[in-house]
Amino acid sequence: MKPRWSLKVGRLPAAVRVELSLQRGERVLAHAATRGGSYTVVTGDALYLPTADAGFLRLPWERIEHAQWKDGWLHIREVGGDGLHHVGLAEPGAVPGAVQERVTATIVVSQYGALPGGGGVRIVGRRGHDGGEPRWTFVFDAGLDPADPGLRAQAEQLLEDLRRQTGL
């Protein structure tokens, strides 16, 4: 696949900026050329990852559960484990640090709770850049079925206790 823009170090090419369709007031904080001839772009509101069709996937920071920089690759896992993304960066620059900082900044509370039947769940509240209500997720211990209605009910009760304690 031939890139639609040249890979220059420095400023983000105007053609890439247009392709991103940034939201009003959204600022580019960092960017890096990918090994595939595109770009990964960090803004204050979201992470933009290149797609196979030469477009971009926009991931708001509160939708990213985990980000890791390892061996030249940026690994992204979406909340709930629904999406996994792996992007090789030619020259990472400030992208890995900016991604880590932005993901961490969305977390307003993270607490582990033991479940009555054994094992536990991490309850994480993330707030988007708009400052609205936190979005809550459950990360169950390995071996526990997150689809089990009984476990979900126990986790929901722990969440209610946490919300009372924190006022969120």
Side-chain angles (χ1 to χ4, degrees), residues 149-165:
L151 285 178
R152 298 280 310 172
Q154 292 173 9
E156 290 286 348
Q157 183 57 55
L158 289 173
L159 172 58
E160 285 308 310
D161 293 345
L162 179 60
R163 291 182 78 174
R164 270 194 300 278
Q165 292 170 9

Side-chain angles (χ1 to χ4, degrees), residues 78-162:
E78 290 184 52
V79 169
D82 294 333
L84 296 172
H85 310 279
H86 311 283
V87 182
L89 301 180
E91 293 290 330
V95 167
V99 167
Q100 193 65 49
E101 185 275 328
R102 299 306 307 164
V103 170
T104 301
T106 67
I107 299 171
V108 291
V109 67
S110 176
Q111 183 170 316
Y112 183 82
L115 296 170
V121 60
R122 176 156 303 281
I123 301 170
V124 182
R126 287 184 165 78
R127 186 170 281 142
H129 72 281
D130 59 2
E133 290 293 315
R135 293 179 181 96
W136 299 96
T137 57
F138 300 126
V139 182
F140 290 92
D141 284 350
L144 297 179
D145 180 6
D148 179 319
L151 285 178
R152 298 280 310 172
Q154 292 173 9
E156 290 286 348
Q157 183 57 55
L158 289 173
L159 172 58
E160 285 308 310
D161 293 345
L162 179 60

Side-chain angles (χ1 to χ4, degrees), residues 35-46:
R35 294 179 185 171
S38 185
Y39 282 84
T40 294
V41 180
V42 174
T43 73
D45 300 343

